[in-house]
Amino acid sequence: MVARLLVTLAAASVATPASAPSTHADTTDDKFLAALAEQGIIDQSSGAHAIEAAHYVCARLDTGETPMEVMQDVLQSSNLPEFHTGFFVAQSIYSYCPRHKDEIPKG
């Protein structure tokens, strides 16, 4: 069920993909935060905390963890419900480490 949810959320996050890197580093951050806000995901600490957490998602993927493993950890260590957790991980991948997008389970 969680794999199906991540696939659904990954497809939903395609509607708000990050653009190619530009000279304005904050553009990706702004788009990432806007995509989260559209889904009702607001980091209670700060936007910077959400961005840092997204980069941590990428760092964990870079060490060989799968998106599903990262999603399960985020689900257990945050107050996010399952839908928002999947969206957060998928949007982190699309925004900051698209090199891992092929690792998202296909439906």
Side-chain angles (χ1 to χ4, degrees):
M1 174 169 178
V2 174
R4 186 173 298 148
L5 177 64
L6 187 57
V7 169
T8 301
L9 296 172
S13 69
V14 169
T16 56
S19 64
S22 69
T23 58
H24 301 289
D26 64 328
T27 301
T28 299
D29 294 344
D30 292 341
K31 288 182 179 184
F32 175 72
L33 294 174
L36 295 183
E38 278 184 24
Q39 295 299 317
I41 303 170
I42 306 297
D43 191 301
Q44 299 302 315
S45 298
S46 69
H49 182 260
I51 293 164
E52 181 181 330
H55 285 286
Y56 186 61
V57 165
C58 294
R60 293 187 56 190
L61 294 170
D62 288 343
T63 67
E65 289 186 63
T66 67
M68 291 302 300
E69 290 169 330
V70 175
M71 182 184 154
Q72 285 299 320
D73 187 53
V74 173
L75 183 63
Q76 293 172 6
S77 65
S78 73
N79 293 330
L80 291 175
E82 191 172 359
F83 177 85
H84 285 158
T85 300
F87 187 88
F88 179 84
V89 171
Q91 193 61 48
S92 296
I93 292 168
Y94 282 106
S95 295
Y96 297 109
C97 50
R99 63 192 171 276
H100 291 292
K101 67 182 177 184
D102 291 339
E103 297 168 30
I104 296 173
K106 307 284 186 258

